[in-house]
Amino acid sequence: MTTSSLTPKLRAVNKIDIKQLIPQRSPIIMVDELLCVNGDEAQCQLTVRPDNFFIDEDSLMAEPGLLEHIAQSASAFAGYRAVQSGATEPPVGYIGEIKNFHLYNRPKIGDTLVTTITMGAEVDGITIIRGETKCNDEVVADTTMKIFVKE
């Protein structure tokens, strides 16, 4: 993806090893790269590989995989903010609630997902995020989550 194909208000970030931004480790890493950030929005990318933990017998990503991808995209965004503030470890967050999850199409092996995360209000360590995942410029899933971040 080139910078010119990004949403105009988002700016590309220097490539950072995703393991510096999220606490998850193999085999459950569901984000390949943080693409861009601006204010309360960020975009992340994942290419669906055959060894993905959430691939089912039909070679499609199961619903929990899309939810985990959206949550980890939010985690990468939070990790980026933490690194920019001087933190050495990414914050650990827990999904507290999932609302209005819509699955429009299940990605297959080889598909590249681009997820836009919009951070909402934060109260007492709970942040509301909105996630929208696209594949080939078509929305495949979207949701709103409440995420609790451990201090």
Side-chain angles (χ1 to χ4, degrees):
M1 173 174 279
T2 64
T3 304
S4 63
S5 66
L6 300 174
T7 305
K9 62 183 174 178
L10 296 176
R11 69 181 188 288
V13 297
N14 292 330
K15 191 165 184 158
I16 301 171
D17 180 2
I18 201 65
K19 292 177 186 169
Q20 291 183 295
L21 303 179
I22 62 174
Q24 291 82 5
R25 293 296 176 254
S26 186
I28 314 278
I29 293 179
M30 294 296 292
V31 176
D32 292 332
E33 183 178 359
L34 175 67
L35 299 173
C36 51
V37 171
N38 190 35
D40 290 332
E41 285 192 358
Q43 281 186 338
C44 291
Q45 178 175 292
L46 172 71
T47 298
V48 181
R49 290 179 288 281
D51 63 344
N52 186 290
F53 186 82
F54 293 98
I55 295 298
D56 65 15
E57 63 277 354
D58 296 322
S59 298
L60 298 172
M61 183 178 286
E63 287 181 29
L66 282 158
L67 287 166
E68 184 63 21
H69 168 65
I70 292 170
Q72 285 190 32
S73 294
S75 182
F77 187 14
Y80 176 80
R81 286 179 162 179
V83 166
Q84 295 302 305
S85 297
T88 57
E89 296 287 323
V92 175
Y94 303 94
I95 300 170
E97 180 179 57
I98 298 169
K99 289 180 74 175
N100 302 319
F101 175 67
H102 303 105
L103 176 65
Y104 305 105
N105 195 4
R106 293 175 54 207
K108 64 185 180 312
I109 293 170
D111 284 346
T112 297
L113 308 179
V114 176
T115 295
T116 301
I117 296 296
T118 306
M119 294 285 190
E122 190 254 313
V123 177
D124 295 328
I126 298 172
T127 303
I128 298 173
I129 67 106
R130 170 108 176 106
E132 180 183 78
T133 301
K134 292 183 177 183
C135 179
N136 299 318
D137 291 324
E138 180 181 321
V139 177
V140 294
D142 57 39
T143 192
T144 301
M145 294 181 182
K146 288 184 182 176
I147 299 178
F148 172 74
V149 178
K150 180 180 170 184
E151 291 295 324

